Amino acid sequence: MKSISRLFNENVSPYKLALLRISLGISVLAEYVLLIYQRSWIDGFYYPFLMVFGLIATMLFIIGYKTKIVSVLNYAFIFINFSFLGAWEYHLDYAFLIISFLLIFLNTSEVLSVDSKLNKKSIRVRNKYFHIFLVMFVGLAFVYLDSILYKFSSGTWMNGLGMWYPAMMPYFGNGNIDFLLNSSALLIP
């Protein structure tokens, strides 16, 4: 009972939310770079200028410049650029969408940001542990629950091809692992 009370009543360090903002931004930035690098394999909605604007919004989000406005822009570009890509999408994109949406409402710019340097205000802790719990639970748990439920209904996963099939796709693998995928020793008779 004490831990539940702590979840709703204790303030969280603003450094944790700032690190969450930075780590999400770096992950989204890496996804943009991968999409731009492998754009010839994308069969769906792809406009380079939207990717560039998404990259700019993500970089501003990472450094914490005009964080509230950029958080909304970052969410919008993640939604536009990752939601309409057809065969490219996977469950991490949904985690990006949910977490970036929830970060719009949290104060992530009090420390480790350009905004904090420009405003030079004292650190005010206003976020509770519940906010971080909500972001992590909703952003990750629901996405992975959906993934687990999908795997139980997918013929590919139920027939044992769930790991093999994505590994054969060139945009999922970073190296040539044909020797491993075609190994008869790894096949279940």
Side-chain angles (χ1 to χ4, degrees):
M1 209 55 189
K2 192 175 190 178
S3 61
I4 293 174
S5 172
R6 179 178 175 230
L7 188 66
F8 288 99
N9 295 327
E10 282 192 33
N11 292 326
V12 67
S13 167
Y15 287 97
K16 292 179 182 177
L17 287 172
L19 290 174
L20 180 64
R21 181 196 78 235
I22 293 166
S23 61
L24 175 73
I26 290 171
S27 298
V28 170
L29 189 66
E31 190 72 15
Y32 274 124
V33 170
L34 187 65
L35 282 173
I36 290 170
Y37 176 71
Q38 297 179 342
R39 65 186 169 274
S40 63
W41 294 328
I42 297 173
D43 62 340
F45 181 84
Y46 179 80
Y47 290 106
F49 68 92
L50 288 175
M51 290 287 178
V52 171
F53 288 141
L55 272 169
I56 293 168
T58 302
M59 286 187 237
L60 292 174
F61 183 71
I62 291 170
I63 64 171
Y65 180 72
K66 302 284 185 192
T67 311
K68 286 298 177 188
I69 297 167
V70 170
S71 293
V72 173
L73 289 174
N74 191 42
Y75 170 74
F77 283 118
I78 287 173
F79 182 78
I80 291 167
N81 288 323
F82 294 161
S83 294
F84 301 109
L85 289 177
W88 180 270
E89 69 181 340
Y90 61 107
H91 61 275
L92 185 61
D93 296 340
Y94 301 121
F96 286 159
L97 276 172
I98 293 169
I99 293 172
S100 65
F101 177 75
L102 291 173
L103 286 182
I104 291 171
F105 305 104
L106 297 178
N107 187 7
T108 61
S109 64
E110 284 198 26
V111 293
L112 303 177
S113 69
V114 173
D115 286 349
S116 67
K117 298 297 179 197
L118 293 176
N119 295 336
K120 295 186 181 179
K121 294 179 183 176
S122 62
I123 297 173
R124 297 177 321 270
V125 180
R126 293 179 298 203
N127 297 307
K128 306 286 184 193
Y129 274 104
F130 175 72
H131 297 130
I132 291 206
F133 175 78
L134 182 71
V135 168
M136 299 316 283
F137 182 75
V138 172
L140 296 176
F142 284 160
V143 170
Y144 285 104
L145 176 67
D146 175 61
S147 176
I148 290 167
L149 294 175
Y150 172 76
K151 288 173 184 169
F152 282 127
S153 66
S154 168
T156 303
W157 280 93
M158 295 308 287
N159 292 329
L161 298 174
M163 294 295 287
W164 179 82
Y165 183 69
M168 292 300 292
M169 299 293 117
Y171 46 80
F172 284 122
N174 290 331
N176 186 0
I177 56 171
D178 289 341
F179 69 94
L180 188 62
L181 295 172
N182 296 328
S183 171
S184 61
L186 297 176
L187 294 176
I188 299 173

